[in-house]
Amino acid sequence: MTFARLRSLPDSDHLPALDASYLSADPGRGLGPHDHAPRILLLYGSLRERSYSRLCVEEAARLLQRMGCETRIFDPSDLPLPGSPGDDDHPAVRELREHALWSEGMVWCSPERHGQVSGVMKLQIDHLPLSLGSLRPTQGRTLAVMQVSGGSQSFNAVNTLRLLGRWMRMVTIPNQSSVAKAFQEFDDAGRMKPSAYYERIVDVMEELVRFTVLVRPHAVQLVDRYSERKAAGLPLDAATDLAAIAIAAQ
């Protein structure tokens, strides 16, 4: 499949607000196997030319790459409305789902609109089904949530993103980022200025890498459900199920 909706990341190696001497280059060391780079999909929630949610996502992607991750930033500009005729076959929807299946973790960053996430942010999440046949585009993946605000600091959007992440059966990390008066936090080139807000994004990305490396070898087991096994007619083999073995030994 040709990916036509991935945004390029300008100046990916240039991090002017970062003091690299304090950054962990390998936050997931010792937490799990390092057979490949963690794969992170980043989604943003505004189509403005100067979109602060996109600029935050770009800063996050640069940090993630510095910490050894592979990143993809999806451009949602031509997504159709969910439920519109032929939406499942739309090239943008198919591509978004391919990126979700590729990922092991995600970053969602939304502007706060009327005390909630933006329609563009919700649109992308609404196009990610809980299952595609036997494939699950979000289940068991890690998630970091962020928001930008035009006014004072708020947490309405990240709270909603947490709710959505739980609904999508994702492992949402404890830390989060909320950037107040985002228009003051970026220079003319669209790069984030040094600040406590920037440092929080660094913290969140470090934590996301740790949780992704920790969770990914166990993602299938962590979301294994009795109800789904029963519905699929897949009884457990007591000889190989560790929980059954432990109970039988008591």
Side-chain angles (χ1 to χ4, degrees):
M1 182 176 182
T2 300
F3 296 134
R5 294 165 181 82
L6 289 181
R7 292 193 63 93
S8 60
L9 184 62
D11 299 322
S12 59
D13 295 326
H14 182 49
L15 292 92
L18 179 72
D19 187 338
S21 62
Y22 294 98
L23 180 72
S24 174
D26 187 8
R29 184 190 300 273
L31 294 175
H34 268 40
D35 53 335
H36 64 275
R39 300 190 296 264
I40 309 298
L41 173 64
L42 300 98
L43 307 180
Y44 60 93
S46 168
L47 301 182
R48 291 178 176 175
E49 182 176 355
R50 188 172 170 85
S51 162
Y52 295 110
S53 61
R54 176 177 55 79
L55 293 178
C56 277
V57 153
E58 290 176 351
E59 294 292 353
R62 294 183 186 98
L63 290 163
L64 289 166
Q65 289 187 11
R66 178 67 67 92
M67 291 182 277
C69 297
E70 186 178 353
T71 65
R72 294 180 180 179
I73 302 173
F74 180 74
D75 182 346
S77 56
D78 66 337
L79 278 172
L81 290 174
S84 57
D87 64 334
D88 283 337
D89 294 323
H90 192 284
V93 174
R94 293 202 309 269
E95 182 170 336
L96 173 60
R97 292 174 179 177
E98 286 288 336
H99 296 313
L101 290 168
W102 164 87
S103 71
E104 297 170 318
M106 296 190 193
V107 177
W108 295 349
C109 183
S110 177
E112 183 173 306
R113 295 271 178 84
H114 303 302
Q116 266 298 340
V117 299
S118 69
V120 172
M121 189 76 244
K122 186 63 162 54
L123 175 67
Q124 295 171 87
I125 299 169
D126 284 349
H127 277 301
L128 294 175
L130 288 174
S131 64
L132 287 168
S134 62
L135 302 175
R136 303 187 183 279
T138 57
Q139 181 166 287
R141 287 159 175 78
T142 53
L143 172 65
V145 296
M146 306 195 300
Q147 76 168 73
V148 293
S149 303
S152 58
Q153 191 173 46
S154 167
F155 301 97
N156 292 317
V158 287
N159 287 340
T160 295
L161 292 175
R162 285 188 176 279
L163 186 155
L164 291 167
R166 183 171 70 248
W167 190 264
M168 302 304 290
R169 301 176 181 176
M170 302 180 77
V171 180
T172 308
I173 69 171
N175 213 342
Q176 62 187 26
S177 168
S178 174
V179 179
K181 296 183 179 179
F183 62 91
Q184 296 180 349
E185 299 302 320
F186 293 85
D187 62 22
D188 292 341
R191 299 307 306 270
M192 201 165 184
K193 304 172 185 176
S195 68
Y197 294 130
Y198 179 80
E199 292 179 2
R200 175 57 69 90
I201 292 177
V202 180
D203 290 347
V204 173
M205 294 308 111
E206 280 189 339
E207 189 171 291
L208 176 63
V209 175
R210 292 190 181 103
F211 272 82
T212 302
V213 172
L214 179 66
V215 166
R216 67 182 179 179
H218 313 290
V220 174
Q221 183 179 359
L222 287 172
V223 295
D224 184 33
R225 289 177 171 82
Y226 160 82
S227 59
E228 294 177 354
R229 293 193 302 272
K230 187 172 183 290
L234 297 173
L236 288 175
D237 182 353
T240 58
D241 179 51
L242 295 180
I245 292 172
I247 293 171
Q250 293 178 359

